[in-house]
């Protein structure tokens, strides 16, 4: 039996080994950081371990390769949303996250700029199924904490529903989900994605899901930025639970071998226990389940810099689009306050405020924009 200790960890120094051990809970706030994470040790170096159940292998950045001195060990083909890429492999002598500890592990090397932006000043890595299959992942969204333990005691399963899952030909964990009144389809469990629901463009078209108000969106991943379409699903069901008014993203040139991908926000009202290669258990927090899913109401996809927000995408039909904003605009002030390293507050997404909220934006060229948030898709 393991303890219920709860710890917040600073990653500026190497976490002690007893702070990355069996059964320790770690606080997380994925709504602020976009990712689920726990502390980890890579070659004795304290790192931020970002959980990604959709990744076959763990991934480190070239910066960490240089810092730890890991040696090349070959190459592999990585399947992402839209394509397969050849990526180099490096040999890690030791990678540890919670109860999962792996020696002589071949990890992939790829640019992780998005994670570095989400966790400034830290050393982030992606922890994939090559490590997670050695243990049990528990995420309690209702309490904002997670841990990686050696086992899930049967007596703690009370109140949880067991969700049967299988493996895709790429090794991805998949289970049955139902969109609206359509036939159930396999969906990937991808806790490394911050999209509630994404799907192949071919499936969405064949299922008739695009004959409704549709906007555009930009998604960013290891393969770079992708412009797709977005709309609202009336319902999404798995096990005996139903999510309503679900933001869904349609991605072209889909390469996954399941038509649907569910990210961590789809499970934000649940406690989740994932015994890799065995079972998935979920338990709903009924109060959180009744809350609407988070969605953007501004239409602005932006990248943050110390003194401005660079607009990367403006969604079709959105308030920003109606005000004539375009990709490349630089937002230097919001509601009269200059953008800097502390404003907007990290994790506060202004576009997720209630419909009808007014936001004043100042562009670098001097133009003032009065934005009124609304549900535009």
């Amino acid at each position: 039996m393991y303890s219920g200790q709860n710890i917040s960890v600073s990653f500026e120094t190497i976490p002690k080994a007893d702070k990355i051990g069996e059964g320790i809970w770690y606080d997380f706030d994925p709504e602020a950081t976009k990712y689920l994470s726990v502390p980890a040790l890579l070659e004795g170096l304290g790192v931020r371990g970002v959980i990604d159940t959709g990744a076959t292998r763990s991934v480190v950045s070239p910066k960490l390769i240089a810092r730890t001195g890991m040696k090349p060990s070959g190459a592999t083909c990585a399947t992402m949303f839209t394509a397969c890429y050849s990526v180099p492999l490096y040999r890690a002598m030791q990678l540890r996250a919670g109860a999962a500890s792996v020696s002589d592990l071949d990890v992939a090397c790829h640019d992780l700029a998005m994670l570095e932006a989400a966790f400034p000043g830290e050393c982030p890595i992606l922890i994939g199924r090559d490590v997670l299959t050695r243990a049990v992942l528990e995420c309690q969204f209702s309490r904002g904490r997670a841990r990686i333990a050696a086992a899930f005691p049967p007596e703690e399963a009370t109140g949880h529903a067991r969700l049967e899952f299988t493996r895709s030909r790429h090794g991805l964990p998949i289970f049955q989900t139902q969109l609206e009144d359509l036939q159930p389809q396999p969906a990937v469990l991808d806790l490394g994605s911050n999209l509630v629901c994404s799907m192949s463009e071919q499936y969405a078209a064949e299922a008739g899901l695009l004959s409704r108000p549709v906007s555009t969106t930009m998604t960013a991943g290891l393969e770079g930025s992708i412009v797709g379409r977005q709309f609202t699903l009336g319902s999404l069901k798995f096990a005996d639970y139903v999510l309503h008014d679900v933001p869904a993203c349609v991605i072209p040139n889909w390469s996954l071998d399941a038509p649907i991908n569910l990210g961590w926000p789809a499970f934000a009202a649940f406690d989740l226990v994932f015994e890799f290669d065995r079972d998935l258990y979920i338990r709903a927090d009924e109060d959180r389940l009744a809350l609407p899913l988070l969605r953007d109401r501004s239409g602005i996809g932006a990248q943050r810099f110390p003194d401005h927000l660079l607009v990367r995408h403006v969604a079709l039909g959105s308030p920003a689009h109606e005000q004539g904003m375009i990709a490349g605009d630089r937002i230097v002030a919001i509601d009269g306050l200059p953008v800097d390293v502390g404003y907007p507050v990290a994790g506060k997404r202004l576009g997720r405020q209630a419909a009808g909220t007014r936001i004043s934006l100042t562009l670098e060229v001097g133009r003032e924009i009065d934005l009124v948030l609304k549900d535009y898709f």
Side-chain angles (χ1 to χ4, degrees):
M1 192 70 65
Y2 39 71
S3 68
Q5 190 175 6
N6 204 77
I7 291 179
S8 295
V9 177
S10 169
F11 289 79
E12 295 178 356
T13 58
I14 298 177
K16 295 181 180 179
D18 63 355
K19 302 302 183 186
I20 307 182
E22 166 78 15
I24 298 176
W25 289 103
Y26 301 102
D27 296 329
F28 69 86
D29 185 0
E31 290 184 10
T33 64
K34 299 183 181 181
Y35 302 101
L36 307 178
S37 66
V38 297
L41 287 173
L42 173 68
E43 309 293 66
L45 175 70
V47 295
R48 169 79 71 166
V50 175
I51 303 298
D52 190 351
T53 58
T56 302
R57 292 183 183 274
S58 297
V59 182
V60 299
S61 69
K63 296 177 185 178
L64 274 175
I65 294 295
R67 185 169 177 179
T68 58
M70 288 185 282
K71 304 300 181 183
S73 60
T76 189
C77 181
T79 300
M80 301 182 192
F81 274 136
T82 63
C84 293
Y85 297 86
S86 177
V87 295
L89 296 176
Y90 286 80
R91 178 62 56 87
M93 301 308 295
Q94 190 74 33
L95 175 56
R96 181 180 177 188
S101 182
V102 187
S103 302
D104 295 328
L105 179 70
D106 287 332
V107 297
C109 178
H110 201 285
D111 177 71
L112 297 177
M114 292 183 307
L115 300 191
E116 292 167 355
F119 303 107
E122 302 179 13
C123 299
I125 69 171
L126 276 182
I127 297 180
R129 296 192 309 278
D130 51 354
V131 173
L132 296 172
T133 52
R134 317 296 178 100
V136 176
L137 171 66
E138 294 186 62
C139 297
Q140 293 185 350
F141 288 94
S142 61
R143 303 178 67 177
R145 64 182 194 172
R147 66 178 172 185
I148 299 177
F152 182 53
E155 61 270 21
E156 294 196 13
T158 302
H160 287 74
R162 181 175 177 270
L163 196 60
E164 293 187 4
F165 71 94
T166 57
R167 296 287 180 185
S168 74
R169 70 174 186 273
H170 293 144
L172 300 172
I174 58 176
F175 59 94
Q176 293 294 305
T177 188
Q178 183 177 4
L179 308 185
E180 300 181 339
D181 58 355
L182 300 172
Q183 290 295 315
Q185 296 289 333
V188 176
L189 172 66
D190 185 2
L191 297 183
S193 172
N194 61 5
L195 299 174
V196 180
C197 176
S198 52
M199 68 187 72
S200 81
E201 187 175 56
Q202 179 180 350
Y203 169 73
E206 292 176 350
L209 293 172
L210 301 179
S211 57
R212 63 185 72 194
V214 175
S215 182
T216 58
T217 186
M218 176 179 282
T219 61
L222 293 183
E223 60 197 308
S225 299
I226 303 167
V227 175
R229 289 183 278 181
Q230 62 180 342
F231 62 91
T232 299
L233 285 166
S235 64
L236 185 156
K237 180 180 180 181
F238 50 81
D240 292 326
Y241 298 106
V242 180
L243 308 181
H244 297 281
D245 298 325
V246 179
C249 176
V250 177
I251 295 179
N253 303 318
W254 186 266
S255 63
L256 299 183
D257 49 6
I260 300 166
N261 193 87
L262 299 184
W264 70 257
F267 300 92
F270 296 86
D271 292 342
L272 180 149
V273 181
F274 198 5
E275 295 183 300
F276 286 80
D277 294 320
R278 297 185 296 278
D279 292 299
L280 173 64
Y281 297 95
I282 57 175
R283 179 175 60 190
D285 179 313
E286 296 297 338
D287 291 335
R288 290 174 65 93
L289 193 61
L291 296 175
L293 292 165
L294 298 176
R295 66 168 58 235
D296 173 68
R297 295 184 172 90
S298 70
I300 299 174
Q303 181 179 1
R304 185 164 186 159
F305 289 89
D307 60 351
H308 70 279
L309 301 178
L310 175 63
V311 177
R312 297 289 306 278
H313 179 76
V314 177
L316 182 67
S318 67
H321 180 257
E322 292 174 346
Q323 290 295 318
M325 294 187 70
I326 60 173
D329 282 342
R330 294 171 180 254
I331 301 170
V332 296
I334 301 172
D335 291 333
L337 299 177
V339 174
D340 58 27
V341 293
Y343 180 77
V345 176
K348 183 179 181 181
R349 291 171 175 75
L350 300 176
R352 288 183 175 175
Q353 298 179 87
T357 301
R358 291 183 175 270
I359 300 175
S360 175
L361 304 178
T362 304
L363 302 187
E364 187 178 52
V365 295
R367 183 185 171 199
E368 299 286 339
I369 293 176
D370 185 27
L371 210 64
V372 181
L373 303 186
K374 70 173 184 178
D375 293 320
Y376 60 93
F377 68 93

